[in-house]
């Protein structure tokens, strides 16, 4: 609407820089006005949402990022407009058509966009916004799994292994291996998912009083995998192994009719869950190095045993590889 104006009988086309600057300034002004209306609306909820603090309303409506970007856009736009006034003769105050269109663009266009639904976020934008603000279902499940379980048991895992007369020398990888099936379906017994993975016992019980439950019992299951070798011998591997139980919640939600959660959303949330859980554990001093996340498809036979043995062998190669342990080798300089 601001791309040309009429002066007498001739049309004068302002330069692109002037037009863009004027449009940007009007949009910034319009957005500021819209947010002031939001502030007036939020004052009705100052007691219930903001604990009676009016500063919280302005912080929620005018974020630091928005204010910085809006201020920068307004300064740059105003500078360009002033330069055109001084050097190219665009006298805005003497051009009523530009002034009218400027204020119409500021006051009406944004509201019209809102009324016809053009400001509505797409599902992709909504998902991205929720993910950035840690408001996904997956984020809540990951944090709950960490604070309600992993943070309690992982720091004491090596002590529990040492107390086990049966498994203290059998378990070579003193970590908790957590299965993360993409389908989110978790079997009651892991042998149902992979016949090679057999339960052989528990570590000693860990008792923790929590949430009003006196001496609540936590215990880890030990599973054994037997793999035949070409020479006829059998290699035995012992793992402390279990599913990530929050994934079953995602599965149940996708199957429950009253939960607005379809399978496509479930597939997306399980990826976010794994990513968030890995981030939490990597940043946790108590739990770092005490568990391994094992993503699997959940649909292929013998997948669990193959993945676990692969991780076991890869870890052994890393331990015996001098490059992996930061040992400098001269031939590296020639590559």
């Amino acid at each position: 609407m601001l791309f040309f104006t009429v002066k007498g009988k001739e049309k004068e086309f302002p330069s692109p820089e002037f037009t863009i600057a004027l449009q940007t300034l009007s949009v910034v002004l319009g957005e500021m006005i819209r947010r002031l209306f939001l502030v007036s609306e939020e004052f009705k909820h100052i007691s219930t949402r903001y604990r009676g603090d009016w500063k919280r309303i302005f912080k929620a409506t005018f974020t630091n990022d928005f204010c910085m970007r809006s201020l920068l856009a307004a300064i740059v736009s105003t500078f360009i407009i002033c330069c055109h006034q001084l050097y190219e003769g665009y006298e805005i105050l003497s051009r009523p058509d530009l002034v009218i269109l400027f204020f119409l663009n500021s006051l009406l266009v944004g509201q019209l966009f809102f009324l016809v639904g053009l400001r509505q976020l797409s599902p992709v934008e909504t998902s991205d916004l929720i993910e950035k603000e840690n408001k996904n279902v997956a984020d809540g499940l990951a944090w709950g799994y960490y604070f309600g379980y992993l943070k309690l048991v992982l720091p004491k895992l090596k002590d529990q292994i040492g107390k086990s007369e049966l498994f203290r020398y059998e378990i070579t990888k003193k970590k908790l291996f957590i299965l993360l099936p993409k389908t989110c379906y978790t079997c009651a017994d892991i042998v149902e998912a992979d016949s090679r993975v057999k339960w052989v016992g528990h570590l000693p019980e860990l008792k923790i009083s929590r949430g009003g439950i006196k001496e609540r019992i936590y215990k880890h299951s030990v599973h054994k995998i037997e793999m035949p070798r070409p020479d006829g011998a059998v290699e035995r591997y012992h793992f402390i192994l279990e599913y990530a139980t929050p994934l079953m919640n995602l599965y149940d939600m996708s199957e429950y009719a009253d939960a607005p959660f379809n399978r496509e959303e479930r597939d997306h949330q399980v990826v976010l869950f794994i990513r968030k859980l890995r981030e939490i554990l990597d940043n946790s001093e108590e739990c770092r190095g005490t568990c391994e996340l094992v993503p699997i498809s959940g649909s292929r036979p013998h997948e669990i045993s193959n993945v676990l043995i692969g991780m076991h062998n890869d870890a052994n190669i890393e331990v015996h590889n001098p490059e992996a342990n930061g040992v400098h080798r001269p031939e590296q300089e020639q590559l």
Side-chain angles (χ1 to χ4, degrees):
M1 70 177 57
L2 294 178
F3 287 104
F4 67 89
T5 58
V6 178
K7 182 177 180 181
K9 295 183 179 181
E10 298 179 354
K11 292 183 178 180
E12 290 187 355
F13 291 86
S15 68
E17 296 84 0
F18 176 82
T19 303
I20 293 172
L22 199 59
Q23 286 277 29
T24 301
L25 189 60
S26 66
V27 169
V28 171
L29 179 60
E31 181 63 18
M32 295 291 290
I33 294 172
R34 189 184 72 85
R35 296 200 178 211
L36 286 174
F37 280 111
L38 292 178
V39 169
S40 65
E41 175 65 25
E42 290 302 297
F43 263 106
K44 300 177 183 178
H45 312 285
I46 188 171
S47 299
T48 57
R49 296 180 184 175
Y50 303 99
R51 304 176 185 175
D53 188 355
W54 61 270
K55 293 181 181 179
R56 291 175 179 265
I57 298 178
F58 282 93
K59 287 182 179 179
T61 310
F62 295 93
T63 62
N64 290 334
D65 186 53
F66 168 77
C67 291
M68 293 296 293
R69 295 187 183 192
S70 297
L71 182 62
L72 178 62
I75 291 174
V76 173
S77 300
T78 303
F79 176 77
I80 294 173
I81 293 170
C82 291
C83 288
H84 276 53
Q85 277 191 284
L86 293 174
Y87 299 107
E88 297 189 18
Y90 287 102
E91 299 293 341
I92 294 181
L93 295 179
S94 65
R95 300 285 297 276
D97 51 352
L98 280 180
V99 175
I100 292 172
L101 292 176
F102 175 82
F103 283 105
L104 285 176
N105 195 33
S106 301
L107 301 175
L108 295 181
V109 173
Q111 310 309 319
L112 288 175
F113 279 6
F114 177 78
L115 290 176
V116 300
L118 295 180
R119 292 185 63 91
Q120 184 177 1
L121 296 178
S122 67
V124 174
E125 293 172 310
T126 303
S127 177
D128 182 62
L129 180 62
I130 292 174
E131 184 177 348
K132 287 180 179 178
E133 295 184 357
N134 289 325
K135 293 181 180 178
N136 273 305
V137 173
D139 290 330
L141 291 175
W143 281 111
Y145 188 42
Y146 171 70
F147 283 113
Y149 178 61
L150 296 180
K151 189 179 179 182
L152 302 177
V153 301
L154 288 180
K156 302 178 181 179
L157 181 63
K158 291 183 179 180
D159 291 338
Q160 296 304 108
I161 297 173
K163 294 177 183 178
S164 174
E165 296 181 0
L166 185 60
F167 299 116
R168 69 174 66 166
Y169 301 115
E170 299 290 343
I171 299 173
T172 57
K173 303 302 177 187
K174 303 184 185 303
K175 296 180 179 182
L176 173 64
F177 288 80
I178 303 175
L179 297 175
L180 300 159
K182 183 180 178 182
T183 60
C184 294
Y185 183 77
T186 60
C187 299
D189 195 338
I190 297 178
V191 73
E192 298 174 13
D194 190 333
S195 59
R196 293 176 181 169
V197 185
K198 295 180 173 59
W199 176 83
V200 290
H202 291 294
L203 293 183
E205 296 178 349
L206 174 65
K207 296 181 180 180
I208 301 175
S209 298
R210 182 174 174 84
I213 303 175
K214 196 69 174 177
E215 294 187 344
R216 184 172 183 174
I217 295 174
Y218 299 86
K219 57 183 179 181
H220 299 291
S221 296
V222 180
H223 292 76
K224 179 176 68 174
I225 301 175
E226 294 183 340
M227 297 293 290
R229 295 194 322 196
D231 59 2
V234 177
E235 290 193 25
R236 295 176 175 84
Y237 305 84
H238 289 75
F239 296 93
I240 305 170
L241 184 64
E242 61 189 51
Y243 284 106
T245 51
L247 292 185
M248 197 63 192
N249 296 336
L250 288 176
Y251 180 84
D252 291 339
M253 288 175 64
S254 67
E255 298 292 324
Y256 188 58
D258 292 342
F261 198 75
N262 57 41
R263 295 188 180 184
E264 289 76 17
E265 291 171 328
R266 181 192 71 192
D267 292 342
H268 180 57
Q269 291 296 318
V270 69
V271 174
L272 298 179
F273 175 83
I274 296 172
R275 184 191 306 167
K276 191 65 182 181
L277 185 59
R278 180 174 285 113
E279 177 188 329
I280 293 171
L281 292 173
D282 287 344
N283 293 326
S284 172
E285 292 290 341
E286 303 109 318
C287 301
R288 188 178 298 141
T290 58
C291 76
E292 290 283 352
L293 302 184
V294 188
I296 56 175
S297 68
S299 57
R300 295 196 295 267
H302 301 309
E303 180 183 19
I304 297 175
S305 56
N306 290 334
V307 171
L308 288 174
I309 292 174
M311 295 176 68
H312 182 279
N313 293 337
D314 288 344
N316 286 339
I317 292 174
E318 183 178 347
V319 168
H320 293 95
N321 184 359
E323 294 181 13
N325 288 299
V327 178
H328 179 70
R329 301 181 65 179
E331 61 265 32
Q332 289 179 344
E333 296 180 354
Q334 302 174 4
L335 298 179

